[in-house]
Amino acid sequence: MSLPTLDARPTHKALPLLRSELSRITHRRLFRVLALLLLGGIAFVSTIVFFVHSPETGWSDERVLQEQATAQASWEACVASIPSDKEPERRCGQAPAEQPPNRFNYGADDRYHAYQILPIVILGVCIAASAIAFIMGASAGGAEWSSRSMTLQLLFEPRRLRLLIVKWVGLSITTGLLAAGAILLGLAFGAVTASLRGTWDPSYSEFEIVHDELGQTLLYMGLRGLVLVVIACTIGYAIAMLVRNTGASLGVAFVYFVFVENVVRFALLRYGAQPFLLAENSVALLVPGGIPVIERIEVGQDLSGGEVTMQLTNLRAFLTLLGYTALLAVPAGWSFSRRDVG
Amino acid sequence: MPIIEARRVRKTYRRRGKAPKAALDGLDLVVEEGGVHGFLGPNGSGKTTMLRCLLGLARPDDGEMHMLGRPVPDELPSVIGDTGALLESPAFFPPFTGRLNLQLLAQSSQIPPAQVEAVLDLVQLSDAADERVKGYSLGMRQRLGIAAALLKQPSVLILDEPSNGLDPAGMREVRHLLRALGDSGVTVLLSSHLLGEVQQICDTVTIVNHGRVVTTGAVADVLRSRSSGAIAVGVSDVQRSLSVLGEAGFTAALQEGRIIVDGVADGAVIAEALAAHQLYPSWLMPVQVDLEQAFLELTDDEGSTS
Ligand SMILES: Nc1ncnc2c1ncn2[C@@H]1O[C@H](COP(=O)(O)OP(=O)(O)OP(=O)(O)O)[C@@H](O)[C@H]1O
Ligand SMILES: [Mg+2]
């Protein structure tokens, strides 16, 4: 009954701790399942997308011009029906004749348009990855409390804030790498689909992509997506640290997104709530240039007026999300560093 | 220099709807270097709370604590590498195997992987090391907890009821292990309810009740202090002897067929009183107290000690 003598005394450095955290995370079965679900889901959806697109365009060029003329006629009728002091252009939209005459505008093009869809791929993948990252963060925090294994770790690294930060860094690295992999997988499927079942023709895009900068646009979107993923995982982890339970953290998120945010969105729309909602800000962070949101609603005495919109830019969305994250993470860290554990 | 020194430690738990409860009420705990120190007390007397305070898991309201000469919890990081601990039921991550749980801890402190195998071997868990902790029995978890406490090869070992749930063979192994560690210079602080075990392996002991120290010192001294003043007397005529002793002013009572005389330092006065009535005691014997009895007397709330 004896132990071999240790040559070196136990250390407590950040890097070995981070390495052990990374292997702790990657050994979790739930995390493997979630990662598989994300990547498998992307492959599944991409495959369906591949098969619903055809390599052929629908209409001939003459047919497109014909449709455009019809649309122009009905637009003119619309404009004529509205008194000129009521801003007819705003109500009837843009004149079809002023738009490039492409099939896409008339919904007759079944091809996969790389410029149109690849940004949407990143948007979708990043939102899905953020949801997964939130669950991972919540579960990492919650499982540790329910098993009290954090107590045991504190007997090896008593500096609580340091332990917490290393754990958070480990989670961020893991979820960030997973999201990066997911984005690349989605883009790879998209590229194949565009090549075989679509077009790389740059004349189609919903976002204001400068056409020879598709790669750069996608890269920046992807990077902003990784930021969103890390924010989601941080929020999940922080909530779990505060409520000390995985299920409760997921419940909080569910109730928030399904009820609170929707109620706030509609009840407080006119008071300018929309620029502060999590969902809007998440999308605004991803979409190049951000998204327009309703800043407030102005109703004049004659009931005229209406929505005043503003552009929720990438930067503003990032700062708003960062603020919310800090609002949760700072109390979580503070309470963990002070409260009794075990 | 004491290895563990805690002075006037106070810890009060606030309870919803009830008066606050003082778990530690100015507790002093001093453990000198080397050997095994017992830390005893009834349920809820504050043992675990004290150990959690020492290890930085709970924050005391007041008091001073030092480990290995450093103030804790402020300088805990500088001494934690020399400190191994097991607190009540050990907290491992249930879906991971026993081995993986230890490997992750070892990795974080750059302890060589061979040490994991060594401690697993030491607590005889090598065969079950690749099973999930979820499926471990109480005793297996406890063994794993002891293994984790030994992982750092600590010079201070803090164990809170390590024998909890162990089978008889396991208890004996732990006993031998702790005694061997104590002899090799490791300072072991052992909280336990197994007083036989404590009496066998501990050099010194601290008994607490209601968050306060009741007694502390070498085990032999604690026992001696409790055995003073009671003498058992062997006589042939028990009834007559009782009445004679009673008339002579002794507090004598019949217990299990023997006469026990309380509050007497020297047996000679008893012999003298009996002999004066032609009763000659065949033997006189100071009553030996074991640790269990000492403990029960010391921690008895209506008892004569307080
Ligand atoms: N987290 C807590 N919240 C509230 N009260 C607590 C908490 N932990 C302990 N206590 C109280 O503090 C007192 C001391 O508890 P502690 O666990 O230290 O006792 P113990 O001596 O270890 O008992 P045992 O022999 O049963 O292990 C008890 O009265 C208990 O109710
Ligand atoms: Mg206890």
Side-chain angles (χ1 to χ4, degrees):
Chain A
M1 264 221 208
S2 70
L3 286 167
T5 312
L6 284 181
D7 299 332
R9 295 308 304 152
T11 65
H12 19 292
K13 299 194 194 126
L15 220 58
L17 185 58
L18 178 61
R19 238 175 281 149
S20 100
E21 271 316 305
L22 288 173
S23 54
R24 185 181 292 272
I25 293 166
T26 47
H27 272 97
R28 296 259 333 249
R29 200 151 54 159
L30 175 70
F31 288 7
R32 294 178 180 178
V33 170
L34 287 173
L36 223 69
L37 222 61
L38 179 65
L39 300 178
I42 290 168
F44 179 73
V45 172
S46 300
T47 309
I48 290 181
V49 166
F50 180 88
F51 283 110
V52 298
H53 286 90
S54 89
E56 309 299 330
T57 61
W59 294 344
S60 63
D61 289 350
E62 296 87 81
R63 176 79 195 274
V64 170
L65 288 174
Q66 208 180 324
E67 289 290 327
Q68 192 182 22
T70 318
Q72 179 68 19
S74 58
W75 179 83
E76 278 159 11
C78 170
V79 170
S81 71
I82 292 171
S84 57
D85 62 320
K86 291 280 183 349
E87 305 175 63
E89 279 83 0
R90 220 184 108 186
R91 307 240 168 139
C92 298
Q94 216 188 338
E98 286 165 18
Q99 295 168 28
N102 59 45
R103 293 160 197 90
F104 179 70
N105 288 350
Y106 304 105
D109 193 342
D110 258 356
R111 292 174 306 166
Y112 184 101
H113 297 281
Y115 276 76
Q116 164 70 10
I117 304 184
L118 289 185
I120 297 177
V121 166
I122 296 198
L123 194 71
V125 167
C126 287
I127 287 176
S130 299
I132 297 280
F134 178 88
I135 300 175
M136 285 185 171
S139 159
E144 213 122 39
W145 284 116
S146 63
S147 68
R148 291 172 46 237
S149 60
M150 194 83 102
T151 315
L152 191 57
Q153 278 188 280
L154 284 173
L155 298 179
F156 285 72
E157 175 51 89
R159 283 167 292 191
R160 297 194 186 183
L161 223 53
R162 184 189 181 115
L163 180 66
L164 193 70
I165 290 173
V166 169
K167 279 177 172 294
W168 170 73
V169 170
L171 267 174
S172 301
I173 291 177
T174 316
T175 50
L177 284 178
L178 173 63
I183 292 171
L184 290 178
L185 184 69
L187 287 182
F189 271 105
V192 170
T193 309
S195 304
L196 299 180
R197 298 282 182 129
T199 172
W200 288 90
D201 184 343
S203 42
Y204 315 94
S205 96
E206 216 164 64
F207 304 116
E208 286 170 9
I209 299 177
V210 181
H211 285 154
D212 26 286
E213 287 176 354
L214 177 67
Q216 201 185 54
T217 304
L218 295 182
L219 175 69
Y220 288 160
M221 260 189 104
L223 291 177
R224 291 196 302 271
L226 296 189
V227 171
L228 183 66
V229 163
V230 170
I231 285 177
C233 131
T234 309
I235 290 180
Y237 193 55
I239 295 179
M241 284 318 257
L242 286 170
V243 304
R244 302 191 168 193
N245 181 297
T246 310
S249 316
L250 298 182
V252 166
F254 180 81
V255 168
Y256 178 78
F257 273 111
V258 173
F259 298 107
V260 179
E261 189 145 298
N262 282 320
V263 168
V264 170
R265 179 174 296 121
F266 293 112
L268 302 181
L269 187 64
R270 55 185 307 171
Y271 303 110
Q274 206 183 10
F276 296 97
L277 296 176
L278 270 184
E280 272 79 345
N281 279 286
S282 305
V283 175
L285 177 61
L286 293 172
V287 172
I291 57 169
V293 291
I294 297 172
E295 195 182 359
R296 60 181 186 278
I297 295 178
E298 277 178 355
V299 184
Q301 292 198 318
D302 57 344
L303 295 180
S304 69
E307 305 163 351
V308 179
T309 60
M310 62 170 281
Q311 188 69 7
L312 194 51
T313 60
N314 296 149
L315 181 64
R316 175 161 169 167
F318 171 68
L319 293 176
T320 306
L321 292 173
L322 200 65
Y324 287 139
T325 310
L327 228 51
L328 289 164
V330 169
W334 188 82
S335 84
F336 178 63
S337 64
R338 297 192 57 89
R339 278 162 81 172
D340 292 353
V341 298
Chain B
M1 179 192 68
I3 294 297
I4 296 174
E5 187 176 11
R7 298 286 179 196
R8 302 174 306 279
V9 180
R10 277 175 204 285
K11 171 86 186 167
T12 303
Y13 285 110
R14 286 184 296 272
R15 297 180 299 179
R16 210 167 293 160
K18 286 189 199 162
K21 161 123 191 167
L24 299 178
D25 191 8
L27 191 89
D28 296 313
L29 177 64
V30 179
V31 181
E32 299 292 338
E33 182 168 2
V36 185
H37 185 85
F39 190 33
L40 314 181
N43 291 135
S45 55
K47 304 181 295 296
T48 303
T49 305
M50 180 67 229
L51 302 183
R52 287 176 60 213
C53 287
L54 272 175
L55 293 164
L57 298 176
R59 186 179 292 263
D61 303 327
D62 195 13
E64 272 174 42
M65 299 181 293
H66 286 82
M67 261 211 292
L68 293 161
R70 304 291 192 96
V72 290
D74 291 348
E75 290 184 29
L76 197 56
S78 62
V79 295
I80 199 76
D82 290 315
T83 311
L86 166 67
L87 281 179
E88 289 195 329
S89 49
F92 293 98
F93 195 60
F96 289 175
T97 65
R99 178 174 277 124
L100 181 58
N101 266 293
L102 293 190
Q103 280 170 343
L104 292 172
L105 290 174
Q107 193 182 16
S108 73
S109 298
Q110 292 185 302
I111 296 167
Q115 179 79 355
V116 170
E117 301 310 317
V119 292
L120 281 170
D121 205 38
L122 190 68
V123 299
Q124 301 185 356
L125 214 55
S126 298
D127 291 342
D130 285 324
E131 291 169 25
R132 291 159 177 250
V133 171
K134 204 187 287 188
Y136 276 15
S137 71
L138 176 62
M140 286 159 82
R141 278 170 209 244
Q142 204 68 18
R143 285 169 191 261
L144 193 60
I146 296 170
L150 294 171
L151 203 52
K152 289 186 263 190
Q153 209 171 74
S155 61
V156 184
L157 193 56
I158 296 177
L159 301 171
D160 194 6
E161 300 183 41
S163 301
N164 185 19
L166 292 188
D167 55 26
M171 285 192 203
R172 199 169 68 178
E173 284 152 20
V174 167
R175 221 157 48 219
H176 289 328
L177 174 67
L178 296 187
R179 191 57 259 174
L181 287 170
D183 289 339
S184 72
V186 175
T187 308
V188 182
L189 177 57
L190 168 71
S191 155
S192 175
H193 290 298
L194 302 174
L195 298 176
E197 172 180 286
V198 170
Q199 192 172 354
Q200 276 180 48
I201 63 171
C202 289
D203 308 298
T204 51
V205 65
T206 295
I207 301 180
V208 295
N209 198 12
H210 302 302
R212 275 188 298 262
V213 173
V214 179
T215 190
T216 184
V219 174
D221 291 342
V222 170
L223 294 180
R224 204 170 303 128
S225 74
R226 302 307 306 167
S227 54
S228 72
I231 290 176
V233 188
V235 285
S236 47
D237 192 341
V238 173
Q239 288 309 326
R240 227 186 105 219
S241 302
L242 267 178
S243 59
V244 164
L245 287 171
E247 283 160 22
F250 292 101
T251 335
L254 196 61
Q255 271 178 26
E256 294 160 13
R258 316 180 300 178
I259 292 175
I260 306 288
V261 185
D262 257 338
V264 186
D266 187 356
V269 291
I270 301 174
E272 192 183 1
L274 289 173
H277 292 81
Q278 280 75 46
L279 292 161
Y280 301 103
S282 49
W283 52 264
L284 285 163
M285 198 169 62
V287 175
Q288 287 290 335
V289 181
D290 63 5
L291 193 57
E292 180 175 84
Q293 193 171 347
F295 175 86
L296 291 174
E297 285 176 16
L298 283 165
T299 58
D300 179 8
D301 286 339
E302 291 101 52
S304 47
T305 52
S306 51

